[in-house]
Amino acid sequence: MAGNTFGKAFCVTTWGESHGPALGAVIDGCPPRLRLIEETIQKALDKRRPGKGGPVETSRKEPDKVQILSGTFEGLTTGTPISLLIWNKDARSKSYEHLREVFRPGHGDYTYLKRYGIRDHRGGGRSSGRETAARVAAGAVAQLVLDLLGIKVLAYTVSLAGIDAKERDLDQIERNRLFCPDMDAAEKMEEAALKYRTKGDSVGGIVEVQATRVPAGLGEPVFDKLDAEIAKAFMSVGAVKGVEIGSGIKAAYMTGSQNNDPISPEGFLSNNAGGILAGISNSEPIVARAAIKPIPSISMEQDTINTRGEACKIKVGGRHDASAIPRIVPVLKAMLQLVLADHLLRRFQIEITDYHTTIRDRVNGKLI
């Protein structure tokens, strides 16, 4: 397997490069008779697309207009593979010509060459964050499956440039450019990120993703535990360097009595488990966090080597984000959408006939 496909029941294969003519996704396993039009996908893509003018975002302007090439008829999914196409409109490959024989620190230039014996120096090719547009498009389709049960997925910034969100007012997420649930913190985050960008540097942060109304019983122990699948999904995003579920790292500093979630006849009394026990969802909200590294493309001078192994200096420059946040926020949302849709279909193997009614009845009948 080449590693370009995610999922087993809801399978997504992404394709394309940063400076190729286009990129996209092929989705296999999407149930039939779900209402799908391009505008549904476009709403998600618009939150990720570059060039919206924020102080930490790249100046590359891509409309990221999606085309549905197959898998729908008269606005409904047919149960056959769905092919999605997104054209690259604002690639400037000549800006990368000076990097043809030089490895950028923090990027996949060196490792891709070692793996394949060839690399696309134009924006990183397949390893570019541009690839994630296809994931966001696929996540919007996955949400159609989740909508059958009212499952809601939210992603938001809880830390950037060392500034932490103190509040969790989820109503504020769509009211600022960083998708932050704390308006005061969002303002300070932007100021701090802009300060580092002015110096030619970049910053990292933390994104939290939450899913509510997830039924109990999703997950396939032992190697396909739901939390293991979420961790893999998040870590497959290039800028992610760490993942937490529930209390995460803090659990290592707690006692069993502090970390356990007591159970009452009405349900769980806390959620340190992050909605997952023994790799299986327990009906509590799923809560996961991803640690995002700073963007490696910076204009400060750095030490590196060229393809001949000779030491040299590099200033990457070009059109780059000062942080993967906020554009990575909808990407991580999409990855959780993909995991949940895949495991929902794996757990409740729905028959094609009377699909919408069948899934609700089977799920509701299996809840505690």
Side-chain angles (χ1 to χ4, degrees), residues 136-152:
V136 173
V141 179
Q143 183 61 45
L144 300 180
V145 179
L146 306 185
D147 285 343
L148 296 173
L149 295 179
I151 296 173
K152 186 175 183 180

Side-chain angles (χ1 to χ4, degrees), residues 338-349:
L338 293 177
V339 171
L340 294 177
D342 185 49
H343 276 269
L344 185 64
L345 295 175
R346 289 166 69 175
R347 175 67 179 88
F348 303 102
Q349 297 180 359

Side-chain angles (χ1 to χ4, degrees), residues 6-8 220 223-234 335 339 342-343 346:
F6 183 83
K8 294 184 177 179
E220 302 287 345
F223 295 114
D224 286 356
K225 289 182 171 73
L226 190 60
D227 42 1
E229 297 276 273
I230 293 170
K232 176 182 178 179
F234 283 10
M335 294 313 298
V339 171
D342 185 49
H343 276 269
R346 289 166 69 175

Side-chain angles (χ1 to χ4, degrees), residues 191-234:
E191 291 174 355
L194 184 58
K195 179 182 69 174
Y196 283 102
R197 181 171 200 163
T198 302
K199 297 178 180 179
D201 215 339
S202 61
V203 295
I206 298 173
V207 174
E208 186 167 277
V209 191
Q210 178 186 121
T212 54
R213 294 182 59 85
V214 178
L218 301 187
E220 302 287 345
V222 291
F223 295 114
D224 286 356
K225 289 182 171 73
L226 190 60
D227 42 1
E229 297 276 273
I230 293 170
K232 176 182 178 179
F234 283 10

Side-chain angles (χ1 to χ4, degrees), residues 126-339:
R126 184 76 175 141
S127 67
S128 169
R130 179 98 184 104
E131 177 268 341
T132 61
R135 303 182 189 217
V136 173
V141 179
Q143 183 61 45
L144 300 180
V145 179
L146 306 185
D147 285 343
L148 296 173
L149 295 179
I151 296 173
K152 186 175 183 180
V153 181
L154 292 174
Y156 40 91
T157 302
V158 296
S159 183
L160 180 67
I163 308 297
D164 296 330
K166 304 299 183 183
E167 304 292 332
R168 289 291 194 279
D169 184 354
L170 302 185
D171 291 334
Q172 302 298 320
I173 294 173
E174 299 291 340
R175 298 177 182 175
N176 63 84
R177 289 181 291 200
L178 295 180
F179 303 114
C180 181
D182 183 333
M183 294 295 285
D184 291 337
E187 184 176 344
K188 294 176 182 177
M189 289 174 182
E190 284 203 4
E191 291 174 355
L194 184 58
K195 179 182 69 174
Y196 283 102
R197 181 171 200 163
T198 302
K199 297 178 180 179
D201 215 339
S202 61
V203 295
I206 298 173
V207 174
E208 186 167 277
V209 191
Q210 178 186 121
T212 54
R213 294 182 59 85
V214 178
L218 301 187
E220 302 287 345
V222 291
F223 295 114
D224 286 356
K225 289 182 171 73
L226 190 60
D227 42 1
E229 297 276 273
I230 293 170
K232 176 182 178 179
F234 283 10
M235 288 297 294
S236 74
V237 180
V240 175
K241 300 304 291 183
V243 178
E244 289 186 335
I245 308 291
S247 58
I249 297 298
K250 290 182 180 179
Y253 300 92
M254 300 166 73
T255 63
S257 60
Q258 293 171 327
N259 190 59
N260 288 343
D261 297 314
I263 309 173
S264 74
E266 289 73 36
F268 292 88
L269 302 181
S270 60
N271 192 25
N272 287 309
I276 303 171
L277 289 168
I280 301 172
S281 60
N282 65 4
S283 79
E284 286 292 300
I286 290 177
V287 181
R289 285 172 296 280
I292 315 301
K293 74 173 185 177
I295 291 287
S297 291
I298 58 177
S299 58
M300 298 176 71
E301 189 173 77
Q302 301 175 83
D303 291 316
T304 188
I305 60 172
N306 59 29
T307 54
R308 298 180 296 277
E310 301 165 338
C312 58
K313 301 285 186 179
I314 186 175
K315 284 186 178 182
V316 176
R319 301 176 299 168
H320 303 287
D321 298 305
S323 173
I325 294 171
R327 295 205 296 122
I328 200 173
V329 174
V331 177
L332 294 171
K333 175 181 178 179
M335 294 313 298
L336 185 54
Q337 289 169 323
L338 293 177
V339 171

